[in-house]
Amino acid sequence: MAKKQQVMPVPPAWGIRGSFQSLVALLIATLVVAAIYLRQSNERLFQYWTTQKDPAGLSTSTCKLFTGKWVYDNESYPLYKEKECAFMSDQLACEKFGRMDLNYQFWRWQPHHCDLPRFNATALLEKLRNKRLVYVGDSLNRNQWISMVCLVDSVIAPAFRSMHNNGSINIFKATEYNATIEFYWSPLMVESNSDDPVNHRVQDRIVRVQAIEKHARHWTNADFLIFNTYLWWRRRQMKVLWGSFENPESGIYKAVKLPRVYEMALQTWAQWLEVHVNRNKTKLFFMSMSPTHQKAAKWGGIGGKNCYSETELVTEEGYVGDGASPRMMRVVDKVLDELKTRGLNVQMINITQLSDYRKEAHPSIYRKHWETITEEQLANPKNYSDCIHWCLPGVPDVWNELLYAYILQL
Ligand SMILES: *[C@@H]1O[C@H](CO)[C@@H](O)[C@H](O)[C@H]1NC(C)=O
Ligand SMILES: *[C@@H]1O[C@H](CO)[C@@H](O)[C@H](O)[C@H]1NC(C)=O
Ligand SMILES: *[C@@H]1O[C@H](CO)[C@@H](O)[C@H](O)[C@H]1NC(C)=O
Ligand SMILES: *[C@@H]1O[C@H](CO)[C@@H](O)[C@H](O)[C@H]1NC(C)=O
Ligand SMILES: *[C@@H]1O[C@H](CO)[C@@H](O)[C@H](O)[C@H]1NC(C)=O
Ligand SMILES: *[C@@H]1O[C@H](CO)[C@@H](O)[C@H](O)[C@H]1NC(C)=O
Ligand SMILES: *[C@@H]1O[C@H](CO)[C@@H](O)[C@H](O)[C@H]1NC(C)=O
């Protein structure tokens, strides 16, 4: 007698519907595992990447924070409102000064093959608890400092913060966190006759390329130092003083060409850091050159134009304008490389290329100007357009998101 083939009893809950459910469950499980794996490998990549000196030049890593594209994103951006930032500067408040087209506020930087972490002001303040973060440099660095102050100010109640300006030092403090975010004015990094934070429009610019201590003693002990210096060096040569500004007659003056004089100043800066910085405490960053958009011919604009009336960004991938100096950039690279061989790491944050695309994001005429604008100038707006600084909210917020990505890792 043939034994009736045993059929596995199927519990009533299973069957067609049951196997479909298990398939779905399996699919979900696979997706979750894949997501976790991708996330981890992304983090690993990012960590690997941030330990390298010149990540953008690495061919082994796929995550390059500084190469990518701008993506229109009016859901997440701007990260704060111009009007709501108590410390906004009239030089950067483009909306307040009449700019109608506000699209410059709605762009997110999308690096190739990875994402920037989403900016979280509270998480940053936690990282800065009992710490000092100091921007040291020129008005572009001040532009970035104001952006950072606005970014964190949006999560702090007015009673829990203060602003203190004293000469070259400007200190924003989040009192609950005992955290300060500061800006120190020294446009040429080393001592110069342009060191006055207000009256620095000197015709005959003079630098003491070997002297930095007057400035450096104010920031050497900070926990995070973010440097920049470029724009004020943009000339053929610079007058160098060996001697002091107190005794100008007894000094020795000599004109030194660029980029040599820039290198001399950066060497002084590097030597100071090497000797004085506490490597266990202070994290160092250098912002690469912020490009200007003063010649529209470069991006195919009408001859004689500049950034005035631009409303669109450059979409050509890899576009390189003429508003930054590659040979000066190489000097920075060289000085940072040398510092590294002496055991001091300075992380370069390469904003040059990504900002080059943003010809539409400068204040142009929409800012408070120092001088009163004449009738003649009004008739020719490009004459007094600011194509150097950046409207806020805007491009410097993204520079700070890049900085944030590094600080988060520490
Ligand atoms: C974003 O822009 C799109 C297209 O211009 C528009 O339809 C949408 O309402 C905007 N969203 C927000 C939140 O402003
Ligand atoms: C921001 O960071 C804080 C502190 O780490 C955290 O509690 C909060 O959930 C974060 N917010 C978002 C939206 O991720
Ligand atoms: C507050 O922060 C400073 C550094 O900015 C630090 O020296 C000081 O010890 C901190 N105060 C407290 C009470 O932790
Ligand atoms: C401003 O700075 C000077 C020099 O560092 C110092 O002597 C003075 O006390 C400071 N003033 C205030 C109000 O903090
Ligand atoms: C830095 O840390 C190392 C190892 O923990 C220690 O030996 C050294 O004394 C520290 N240096 C400073 C300047 O604190
Ligand atoms: C910055 O990035 C651009 C584009 O990736 C590159 O051409 C340039 O050499 C970099 N500059 C520095 C100083 O690393
Ligand atoms: C702007 O016009 C003034 C005269 O009104 C002239 O002196 C100055 O050189 C012009 N500046 C630029 C950048 O064209």
Side-chain angles (χ1 to χ4, degrees), residues 35-50:
I36 289 170
Y37 175 76
L38 277 178
R39 193 188 147 76
Q40 280 176 347
S41 67
N42 221 353
E43 269 164 18
R44 269 202 306 277
L45 265 182
F46 186 73
Q47 268 158 19
Y48 165 70
W49 184 86
T50 51

Side-chain angles (χ1 to χ4, degrees), residues 374 376-377 383:
T374 62
E376 197 186 342
Q377 284 176 309
N383 174 291

Side-chain angles (χ1 to χ4, degrees), residues 160-353:
F160 294 102
R161 45 119 156 112
S162 68
M163 180 67 90
H164 185 77
N165 303 318
N166 183 1
S168 298
I169 313 167
N170 304 272
I171 305 174
F172 172 86
K173 184 164 191 173
T175 50
E176 246 185 323
Y177 294 87
N178 182 35
T180 63
I181 299 174
E182 312 179 22
F183 171 69
Y184 186 91
W185 171 260
S186 59
L188 293 134
M189 207 79 95
V190 291
E191 246 186 79
S192 78
N193 64 347
S194 303
D195 287 342
D196 189 293
V198 183
N199 303 308
H200 45 242
R201 282 147 187 273
V202 189
Q203 272 301 322
D204 188 18
R205 199 170 288 163
I206 306 171
V207 280
R208 288 184 67 201
V209 283
Q210 288 166 315
I212 198 171
E213 59 279 4
K214 184 183 112 188
H215 301 313
R217 62 195 181 85
H218 294 286
W219 43 250
T220 304
N221 289 325
D223 300 273
F224 299 95
L225 285 168
I226 294 95
F227 297 100
N228 90 329
T229 185
Y230 159 53
L231 205 69
W232 287 63
W233 297 96
R234 253 192 358 176
R235 40 184 68 197
R236 287 190 48 241
Q237 59 181 37
M238 195 78 89
K239 197 172 192 178
V240 177
L241 162 64
W242 278 272
S244 80
F245 285 112
E246 281 70 41
N247 277 311
E249 277 80 34
S250 65
I252 295 167
Y253 295 86
K254 186 147 194 337
V256 182
K257 287 213 166 63
L258 265 295
R260 179 62 191 134
V261 66
Y262 185 58
E263 183 171 354
M264 291 163 91
L266 285 182
Q267 298 287 10
T268 300
W269 165 80
Q271 279 161 22
W272 173 275
L273 293 180
E274 188 191 348
V275 175
H276 294 92
V277 148
N278 177 350
R279 288 149 210 245
N280 294 354
K281 174 185 177 191
T282 306
K283 305 286 180 261
L284 307 164
F285 297 91
F286 196 99
M287 303 305 297
S288 74
M289 286 153 206
S290 167
T292 61
H293 289 92
Q294 289 164 313
K295 290 183 202 138
K298 195 70 197 169
W299 60 82
I302 305 136
K305 253 179 94 243
N306 55 20
C307 73
Y308 173 68
S309 80
E310 290 288 346
T311 56
E312 309 273 329
L313 28 65
V314 176
T315 50
E316 175 200 336
E317 171 127 20
Y319 168 82
V320 178
D322 60 359
S325 158
R327 60 182 193 153
M328 282 169 74
M329 214 124 72
R330 282 194 292 275
V331 169
V332 176
D333 264 343
K334 182 180 157 204
V335 173
L336 297 195
D337 279 345
E338 283 166 7
L339 261 183
K340 187 160 190 150
T341 65
R342 288 180 261 146
L344 205 63
N345 253 313
V346 181
Q347 178 61 53
M348 154 92 73
I349 302 206
N350 188 342
I351 56 166
T352 307
Q353 169 91 67

